[in-house]
Amino acid sequence: MKTLLENVDFVLTVDKDDTVIRNAAVVIHDDRFVDIGPTADILQRHSREAFDRIVDGSLIGLCPGFIDSHVHLSETLSRAVFPDNLNTREWVFHWAKPFYAHVSEEDEYWGALMGMTEMLRSGTTCFLDMGSQYDPGITVRAMEQTGIRGITARHAADNRPEILPPGWSEEMVQHHFFPNAETALAELRACVEEHHGALDGRARCWVNIEGKEPCTLELHVGARKLAEELGVGTTYHLATSIEEARICEQKYGMWPISRIANAGGLGSNLIIAHGAAVTEDEVELLERHDAKIAFCPSASFKLGKGATNIGKYPELVEAGVTVSLGTDGVSAAGNMNLMRQMLLFTGMFKDSRMQADVLTVRDALRAATIDGAKALMWDDEIGSIEVGKKADFVLFDLDHVEWTPFHDPMQAIVFSASTASVRETWVDGKPLYRDGRVVGVNERDVRSKARELAAAAVIRAGLHDNNVPTSSSVYDEGN
Ligand SMILES: [Zn+2]
């Protein structure tokens, strides 16, 4: 299949020079871009008869598909269940954990379909999912149906708290924690061997772990080593809040990233999710080891992680550390909308530092596209509009109030546009969202099933009553 999109108002290539082509054309052969340039040049190089499909791109803008570098697909059924007055540790230990412990395989499958539907409607073409409570194959099945690209995994933790908090049952703990790092890593190895490269390479599987207190130091370090051996990456939560950093300092005499670095755990195949509590020395450590940070602005806004107070995101970008963007999922963020993360990313530091040239729209667009691809170790194939790369992209409807009028497309896409003007989302040269619907699923059925399963899961997890604690001392006592 050979497709020509001609007369496209703008193409934001996000190549190394951030080239913007006006009145552009792109040629797609099957799943890849084979030519890109001004329409007049492209039509000189290609005969119109050579195409199976020609699309007029007048009043259409094109940019690379967005890459969500930190998301929990298995929490998609928990939207607006956990209150917004909880800091990270209370949120994780008293709300998220019981919810995860009561999610069934069926919940995960329909939740993943629901999440992918929201992503495709929002222009997201690729994600890094923290993983299934059961089997990454559940997510892969949902990817097969929707056509989206992504990396998934098996959730893993190996350090159960000594005293179980209220709401945690022994059965839940057995299900949620591996007995030790060795058994966890054996299972994660088997998952990568089974699922990595599935769906013609569109699905990848990594050695992901939960990270921080619920994982031993051995598991943090071992996950990255195993990932390296298997030629994949690893990601885990770390330095997610000031409380976590303080407890780490009390117990081990240093903040979380330094602790991992001291144990030899940093490396270029590691993405640290959040990384809010970071010292100046740790910025340098991350740069030296080429470790990546997945920043989730919406989650920081909701859970009070202190991104603008203790966060070093502008310094990380300045130091050359790859900072990508994640949503964290519908519980922590409330949405799976990367465009909203771009807006927050560029705005929150301009405002808090009272300096408008800190993290510009250019940085925001790169964080949501090519830097996400770098973090996911997939930038050889995705993240920018360049010849030879996969045809994963978003088309914006410029005949829309959000785009009327506009001069600079990069300003407009971050500060003016929302997902309301996303017209089509393509992956591997195929439109997966067009004409107002996600092509691979019956969206009405997915929403109906999601509502039904979500209501039941919330009751099973005991999150429907008012007795859930809103403060936490889990992992505080010397274990
Ligand atoms: Zn997370």
PDB file of all heavy atoms in Angstrom, residues 70 72 130 237 273-274 328, ligand 1:
ATOM      1  N   HIS A  70       5.131   6.572  30.680  1.00  0.00           N
ATOM      2  CA  HIS A  70       4.830   5.951  31.978  1.00  0.00           C
ATOM      3  C   HIS A  70       3.319   5.877  32.168  1.00  0.00           C
ATOM      4  O   HIS A  70       2.663   6.883  32.417  1.00  0.00           O
ATOM      5  CB  HIS A  70       5.462   6.737  33.138  1.00  0.00           C
ATOM      6  CG  HIS A  70       5.193   6.109  34.469  1.00  0.00           C
ATOM      7  ND1 HIS A  70       5.770   4.905  34.846  1.00  0.00           N
ATOM      8  CD2 HIS A  70       4.394   6.466  35.503  1.00  0.00           C
ATOM      9  CE1 HIS A  70       5.335   4.574  36.050  1.00  0.00           C
ATOM     10  NE2 HIS A  70       4.498   5.494  36.467  1.00  0.00           N
ATOM     11  N   HIS A  72      -0.039   3.106  33.639  1.00  0.00           N
ATOM     12  CA  HIS A  72      -0.487   1.840  34.240  1.00  0.00           C
ATOM     13  C   HIS A  72      -1.806   1.468  33.579  1.00  0.00           C
ATOM     14  O   HIS A  72      -2.863   1.933  34.000  1.00  0.00           O
ATOM     15  CB  HIS A  72      -0.729   2.009  35.739  1.00  0.00           C
ATOM     16  CG  HIS A  72       0.487   2.382  36.522  1.00  0.00           C
ATOM     17  ND1 HIS A  72       1.170   1.476  37.310  1.00  0.00           N
ATOM     18  CD2 HIS A  72       1.154   3.554  36.647  1.00  0.00           C
ATOM     19  CE1 HIS A  72       2.194   2.088  37.888  1.00  0.00           C
ATOM     20  NE2 HIS A  72       2.203   3.348  37.498  1.00  0.00           N
ATOM     21  N   MET A 130       3.446  -0.113  32.810  1.00  0.00           N
ATOM     22  CA  MET A 130       4.177  -0.690  33.943  1.00  0.00           C
ATOM     23  C   MET A 130       3.931  -2.176  34.097  1.00  0.00           C
ATOM     24  O   MET A 130       4.731  -2.863  34.723  1.00  0.00           O
ATOM     25  CB  MET A 130       3.810   0.041  35.229  1.00  0.00           C
ATOM     26  CG  MET A 130       4.401   1.436  35.319  1.00  0.00           C
ATOM     27  SD  MET A 130       6.203   1.468  35.085  1.00  0.00           S
ATOM     28  CE  MET A 130       6.772   0.771  36.628  1.00  0.00           C
ATOM     29  N   HIS A 237       9.394   3.040  39.567  1.00  0.00           N
ATOM     30  CA  HIS A 237       9.158   4.292  40.287  1.00  0.00           C
ATOM     31  C   HIS A 237      10.319   4.528  41.244  1.00  0.00           C
ATOM     32  O   HIS A 237      10.753   3.613  41.942  1.00  0.00           O
ATOM     33  CB  HIS A 237       7.880   4.190  41.122  1.00  0.00           C
ATOM     34  CG  HIS A 237       6.657   3.875  40.331  1.00  0.00           C
ATOM     35  ND1 HIS A 237       6.220   2.594  40.119  1.00  0.00           N
ATOM     36  CD2 HIS A 237       5.789   4.685  39.692  1.00  0.00           C
ATOM     37  CE1 HIS A 237       5.115   2.627  39.387  1.00  0.00           C
ATOM     38  NE2 HIS A 237       4.831   3.885  39.109  1.00  0.00           N
ATOM     39  N   ALA A 273      10.624   6.467  36.747  1.00  0.00           N
ATOM     40  CA  ALA A 273       9.338   7.168  36.681  1.00  0.00           C
ATOM     41  C   ALA A 273       9.267   8.190  37.807  1.00  0.00           C
ATOM     42  O   ALA A 273       9.579   7.869  38.960  1.00  0.00           O
ATOM     43  CB  ALA A 273       8.189   6.177  36.792  1.00  0.00           C
ATOM     44  N   HIS A 274       8.890   9.391  37.489  1.00  0.00           N
ATOM     45  CA  HIS A 274       8.740  10.554  38.366  1.00  0.00           C
ATOM     46  C   HIS A 274      10.080  11.253  38.635  1.00  0.00           C
ATOM     47  O   HIS A 274      10.336  12.300  38.085  1.00  0.00           O
ATOM     48  CB  HIS A 274       8.017  10.227  39.677  1.00  0.00           C
ATOM     49  CG  HIS A 274       6.648   9.671  39.452  1.00  0.00           C
ATOM     50  ND1 HIS A 274       5.665  10.382  38.809  1.00  0.00           N
ATOM     51  CD2 HIS A 274       6.102   8.456  39.744  1.00  0.00           C
ATOM     52  CE1 HIS A 274       4.568   9.638  38.724  1.00  0.00           C
ATOM     53  NE2 HIS A 274       4.812   8.467  39.269  1.00  0.00           N
ATOM     54  N   ASP A 328       0.978   8.452  33.708  1.00  0.00           N
ATOM     55  CA  ASP A 328       0.875   7.649  34.926  1.00  0.00           C
ATOM     56  C   ASP A 328      -0.473   6.922  34.993  1.00  0.00           C
ATOM     57  O   ASP A 328      -0.661   6.082  35.843  1.00  0.00           O
ATOM     58  CB  ASP A 328       1.095   8.502  36.186  1.00  0.00           C
ATOM     59  CG  ASP A 328       1.666   7.693  37.347  1.00  0.00           C
ATOM     60  OD1 ASP A 328       1.919   6.495  37.154  1.00  0.00           O
ATOM     61  OD2 ASP A 328       1.847   8.266  38.436  1.00  0.00           O
TER      62      ASP A 328
HETATM   63 ZN    ZN B   1       3.301   5.028  38.101  1.00  0.00          ZN
END
